[in-house]
């Protein structure tokens, strides 16, 4: 019965996955063909790093969009596969028939949840494996495995996301009892979780390592930006080679105090003319003259797989708790 009720959504999901697989396989083959062409040219010219950098630039935007699309897969699973699972039965009243047969409520729910959870995990596994394979040459060049979108769309993390979305959709339907509102609320909750996890939870899964970096004029020119709308003395986009930067302090003076905002703004707006030609012109040597430094928290790339396992385990643990709660509530409260 679970399969008969689920087979139409499963068929639609299989068709979408097949189309996505065809595109990802085509993209992966294109990337490998382009890589071979770049390597053939660069060996002759003797400048392979620049050629490989161009290869990564050619496909970075496309792969980022694909990762963003695949990031929506858990939300779609939760909305269209799992939110109606219980909500539709309660909304139409068919639960009165289903729960008065020889099968208990708990067994009914466990079988239905198991069916959808298994399908969700298989879809996420297939999509993640295909994108990971397609993007492998570019990922090896870019070295940004901890990038927010890339991390959540490759390897193990999508499996945990899909499981959590499935369990969350079922529990939401159990509470809301109306199919369309349950679908909408499930989508919002899943997207909120996928936003909170990389920004508020992932950086703290393991204690960060720290370093103090002197802000010379050359170091300041490596940044992506200076200041904020509130004129805070911050440097944006500081990187640590081979690591994921999770937190950067404000510009600090030699005694560890934040740089005065007026001094910072004077260097930005009224820096003495030195003829500096770096990214920020005369502002860089002006700031560097105040003997500044940054306290940087970071996670080395060697911890990538530990973060993947920890995050996936957290998703799966939350999924198990939600499923257990649904089984308890459907027996005692519905």
């Amino acid at each position: 019965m679970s399969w008969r009720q689920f087979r139409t959504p499963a068929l639609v999901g299989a068709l979408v996955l097949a189309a996505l697989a065809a595109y990802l396989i085509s993209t992966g083959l294109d990337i490998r063909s382009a890589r071979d062409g770049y390597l053939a040219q660069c060996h002759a010219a003797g400048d392979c790093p620049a050629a490989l950098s161009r290869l990564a630039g050619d496909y970075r935007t496309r792969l980022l969009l694909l990762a963003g699309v695949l990031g929506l897969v858990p939300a779609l699973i939760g909305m269209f596969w799992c939110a109606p699972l219980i909500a539709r039965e309660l909304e139409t009243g068919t639960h009165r028939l289903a729960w008065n047969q020889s099968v208990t409520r708990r067994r009914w729910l466990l079988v239905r949840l198991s069916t959808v959870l298994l399908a969700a995990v298989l879809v996420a596994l297939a999509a993640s494996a295909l994108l990971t394979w397609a993007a492998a040459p570019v990922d090896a060049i870019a070295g940004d495995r901890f990038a927010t979108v890339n991390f959540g769309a490759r390897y193990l993390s999508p499996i945990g996301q899909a499981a959590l979305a499935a369990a969350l959709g079922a529990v939401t339907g159990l509470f809301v009892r109306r199919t369309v509102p349950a679908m909408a609320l499930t989508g919002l909750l899943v997207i909120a979780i996928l936003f909170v996890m990389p920004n508020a939870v992932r950086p703290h899964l393991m204690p960060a390592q720290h370093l103090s970096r002197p802000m010379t004029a050359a170091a300041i020119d490596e940044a992506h930006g200076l200041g904020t709308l509130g004129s805070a003395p911050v440097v944006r986009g500081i990187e640590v080679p081979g690591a994921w930067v999770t937190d950067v302090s404000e510009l600090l003076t030699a005694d560890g105090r934040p740089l005065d905002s007026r001094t910072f703004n004077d260097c930005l707006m009224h820096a003495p003319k030195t003829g500096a030609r770096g990214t920020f012109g005369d502002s860089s040597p002006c700031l560097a003259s105040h003997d500044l430094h940054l306290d940087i928290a970071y996670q080395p790339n060697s911890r990538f797989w530990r973060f993947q396992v920890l995050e996936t385990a957290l998703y799966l643990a939350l999924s198990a708790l939600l499923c257990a709660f649904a089984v308890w509530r459907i027996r005692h409260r519905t």
Side-chain angles (χ1 to χ4, degrees):
M1 179 62 70
S2 295
W3 168 244
R4 291 187 64 180
Q5 291 184 312
F6 180 62
R7 60 188 176 187
T8 298
L11 178 60
V12 173
L15 292 174
V16 173
L17 180 61
L20 181 62
Y23 184 76
L24 286 172
I25 291 172
S26 175
T27 298
L29 294 175
D30 286 346
I31 291 174
R32 284 156 175 80
S33 176
R35 180 191 59 186
D36 294 340
Y38 273 115
L39 288 175
Q41 296 174 13
C42 76
H43 285 316
D47 190 13
C48 284
L52 293 177
S53 178
R54 289 195 298 272
L55 171 67
D58 290 344
Y59 289 95
R60 183 177 289 112
T61 301
R62 186 193 303 189
L63 292 175
L64 186 62
L65 290 174
L66 282 171
V69 169
L70 291 184
L72 296 176
V73 168
L76 296 176
I77 287 174
M79 291 174 62
F80 292 98
W81 281 7
C82 304
L85 196 67
I86 305 173
R88 184 181 292 121
E89 301 279 355
L90 298 174
E91 184 176 22
T92 59
T94 53
H95 66 289
R96 298 185 180 91
L97 175 63
W99 296 350
N100 282 283
Q101 307 302 310
S102 58
V103 176
T104 64
R105 295 182 186 188
R106 287 182 177 179
R107 182 177 174 185
W108 176 87
L109 179 59
L110 284 172
V111 172
R112 301 207 65 184
L113 272 177
S114 299
T115 302
V116 180
L117 276 169
L118 178 60
V121 167
L122 290 176
V123 167
L125 175 61
S128 173
L130 287 165
L131 179 59
T132 301
W133 171 82
V138 174
D139 288 346
I141 298 168
D144 56 350
R145 305 171 83 189
F146 270 112
T148 301
V149 178
N150 291 346
F151 186 95
R154 289 159 171 71
Y155 299 102
L156 303 177
S157 185
I159 298 172
Q161 295 171 18
L164 179 58
L168 185 61
V171 171
T172 302
L174 181 61
F175 274 94
V176 176
R177 295 170 172 259
R178 296 291 184 271
T179 303
V180 175
M183 292 171 66
L185 182 58
T186 297
L188 291 175
L189 290 174
V190 172
I191 291 173
I193 290 172
L194 296 182
F195 176 80
V196 169
M197 178 62 76
N199 293 287
V201 178
R202 186 183 299 159
H204 307 291
L205 290 177
M206 293 184 67
Q209 296 185 7
H210 295 266
L211 64 83
S212 178
R213 182 175 182 184
M215 284 289 99
T216 63
I220 293 172
D221 283 329
E222 293 176 6
H224 297 169
L226 294 175
T228 63
L229 292 177
S231 299
V234 299
V235 179
R236 303 192 307 275
I238 288 293
E239 298 180 356
V240 175
W244 167 39
V245 175
T246 58
D247 188 46
V248 179
S249 70
E250 294 183 352
L251 285 167
L252 304 175
T253 58
D255 57 2
R257 298 179 181 178
L259 179 67
D260 182 71
S261 297
R262 288 175 295 179
T263 303
F264 180 72
N265 288 330
D266 284 342
C267 281
L268 291 186
M269 307 301 296
H270 309 292
K273 301 298 181 181
T274 62
R277 297 185 178 182
T279 305
F280 302 106
D282 295 322
S283 296
S284 298
C286 177
L287 290 170
S289 66
H290 293 282
D291 190 20
L292 304 174
H293 68 278
L294 292 175
D295 288 338
I296 301 174
Y298 69 96
Q299 298 287 353
N301 285 345
S302 59
R303 294 182 175 181
F304 174 80
W305 278 108
R306 278 177 279 180
F307 270 82
Q308 279 278 330
V309 171
L310 287 172
E311 183 169 310
T312 304
L314 179 58
Y315 281 131
L316 294 178
L318 292 174
S319 305
L321 288 174
L322 287 172
C323 290
F325 176 74
V327 171
W328 173 83
R329 183 173 177 83
I330 205 170
R331 176 67 180 84
H332 294 282
R333 298 290 182 183
T334 304

